[in-house]
């Protein structure tokens, strides 16, 4: 796993074409769960991206096996500087005291490369129902406070479509 990932969005046709033109790279095609026609292509190489309009993130923390099959949740939050240390401490503690919730395959903490306040909690699950159970669990409670408009919270869920490498 590299220290950077990049994403781009578009139609399945265009993103599949990008994927095929760059078959030597680790590019994952994912489909939004909320709409049939929204797709994302992830570049996991850490190299300079091939995307013309990328959104690039620094990987701050990762844990687990990066198996993208199943459901992946992207929780986006904006954190003021004074809250970032608290947030980082909570996730550092979560990582060290890691008692993996049922169904969780991996999680990442990302920060947008061009915006130090923009964080993403990425979790990958065997199923939506296991994710829903985690959101109500004790292990999620330290992060629940960020899931409101005060922190610019929004969430997207995606399902793996294909990778030319798998």
């Amino acid at each position: 796993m590299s220290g950077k990932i990049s994403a781009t969005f578009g139609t399945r046709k265009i993103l599949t074409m990008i994927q095929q033109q760059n078959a030597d790279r680790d590019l994952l095609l994912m489909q939004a769960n909320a709409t049939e026609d929204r797709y994302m292509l992830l570049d996991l190489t850490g190299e300079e991206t091939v995307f013309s309009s990328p959104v690039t993130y620094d990987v701050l923390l990762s844990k687990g096996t990066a198996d993208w099959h199943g459901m992946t949740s992207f929780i986006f939050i904006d954190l003021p500087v004074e809250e970032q240390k608290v947030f980082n401490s909570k996730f550092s503690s979560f990582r060290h005291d890691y008692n993996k919730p049922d169904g969780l395959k991996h999680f990442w903490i990302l920060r947008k490369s061009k915006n130090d306040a923009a964080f993403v909690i990425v979790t990958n699950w065997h199923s939506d129902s296991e994710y829903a159970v985690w959101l109500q669990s004790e292990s999620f409670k330290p992060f629940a406070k960020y899931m409101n408009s005060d922190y610019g919270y929004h969430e997207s869920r995606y399902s793996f479509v294909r990778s030319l490498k798998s």
Side-chain angles (χ1 to χ4, degrees), residues 22 24 28 34 37 53 80 90 105-106 110 136 146 158-159:
N22 298 279
D24 60 322
L28 301 179
D37 60 346
S53 299
K90 287 179 182 184
K105 295 192 269 182
H106 71 265
L110 310 176
Q136 303 302 315
Y146 302 111
Y158 283 81
S159 295

Side-chain angles (χ1 to χ4, degrees), residues 112-143:
K112 199 170 186 180
S113 294
K114 294 185 179 182
N115 180 351
D116 286 347
F119 288 78
V120 186
I121 303 168
V122 180
T123 56
N124 181 263
W125 301 84
H126 289 285
S127 71
D128 288 351
S129 61
E130 291 164 322
Y131 175 66
V133 168
W134 181 61
L135 292 178
Q136 303 302 315
S137 74
E138 284 297 314
S139 72
F140 183 75
K141 278 189 179 178
F143 316 109

Side-chain angles (χ1 to χ4, degrees), residues 14 37 43 54 59 94 130 132 145 149 155 164:
I14 290 172
D37 60 346
D43 181 349
V59 178
F94 180 73
E130 291 164 322
K145 79 174 254 181
S149 60
E155 180 182 2
L164 298 181

Side-chain angles (χ1 to χ4, degrees), residues 59-90:
V59 178
L60 303 180
L61 182 112
S62 66
K63 185 84 174 181
T65 305
D67 170 4
W68 291 90
H69 294 86
M71 187 280 291
T72 303
S73 167
F74 296 82
I75 296 174
F76 299 87
I77 54 176
D78 294 322
L79 298 175
V81 173
E82 61 275 7
E83 189 64 40
Q84 290 180 23
K85 285 184 181 181
V86 173
F87 176 79
N88 288 333
S89 174
K90 287 179 182 184

